[in-house]
Amino acid sequence: MQLIILFGVLVSTYLMVIAKRIPALIRGFRYQSFCLFLVTFFIALHEHELDLFIVAGLLFILKVSLIPFLLYRIVRRIKVNEDLGLFINAQLSLLFALGFTYLSWVFTMYLIGPGNERFGIILAVAFFIVLAGLFLMIFRMTALAQIVGLLVMENGLFLLASTISGGMPFFVEIAIFFDVFVSILIMGFFVYRINKLFTHIDVNKLSRLRG
């Protein structure tokens, strides 16, 4: 079951990497977060830990429901061009994603060695998600896409922490969720203000305003 969910995480990440429009990117993030919710929920069922049930519930409320809702609302309010502004086209982005997957697997096998492939798959998926989030932040031109890239990286780090240490301490998890939520509110406000002042949120054009 866990491998099927991880396959869902992989597919949703690939969908985000090749997405050309902002709604498709947000939808991919929602799918990915839902898969992480399932991973956490099944770990909670297996471990019988109340803390993990609470973390899974917060994950669902925050990343599957609330944050995608806020991002969709920002898109509707600022009436921005829904194109992501690709530095690299979707086909080449897919090749990068395949390369990241291979590199993550090779790096994981180098770290843990042969004989523990099941643990290695989870670790490799976590590394891949972090790399995919970094890719979105660098090679997408709109501020909203870069916010989603940051959230994707945070999802990867969440899976990495869950894999290596069985999850972070409960209050640390709560603090991180709170920080992520506040960050999205602040970044959403800045995106709204930037769009109001410059009538676009293309960071490539904004960088030309310097000096």
Side-chain angles (χ1 to χ4, degrees), residues 94-108:
L94 180 60
L95 289 178
F96 267 95
L98 290 169
F100 290 153
T101 310
Y102 176 73
L103 285 176
S104 301
W105 176 252
V106 170
F107 181 62
T108 302

Side-chain angles (χ1 to χ4, degrees), residues 184-199:
I184 291 301
L185 289 179
I186 293 171
M187 286 189 281
F189 174 75
F190 276 115
V191 168
Y192 178 76
R193 293 295 300 169
I194 289 170
N195 185 70
K196 194 171 181 179
L197 287 173
F198 302 106
T199 67

Side-chain angles (χ1 to χ4, degrees), residues 2-73:
Q2 196 175 35
L3 292 179
I4 295 173
I5 298 171
L6 286 173
F7 181 72
V9 174
L10 267 182
V11 171
S12 59
T13 310
Y14 273 97
L15 288 176
M16 281 189 279
V17 170
I18 63 172
K20 296 178 181 177
R21 301 174 71 81
I22 292 174
L25 186 67
I26 299 172
R27 195 161 49 247
F29 171 73
R30 175 174 270 168
Y31 294 154
Q32 184 191 67
S33 300
F34 181 72
C35 291
L36 287 180
F37 155 73
L38 289 178
V39 170
T40 312
F41 181 74
F42 282 114
I43 292 174
L45 275 181
H46 183 261
E47 302 288 338
H48 301 288
E49 288 280 348
L50 178 62
D51 292 355
L52 287 175
F53 279 112
I54 295 174
V55 170
L58 285 173
L59 190 60
F60 185 85
I61 292 170
L62 199 63
K63 292 189 175 177
V64 181
S65 304
L66 203 51
I67 289 178
F69 170 77
L70 289 173
L71 292 174
Y72 278 127
R73 190 178 176 189

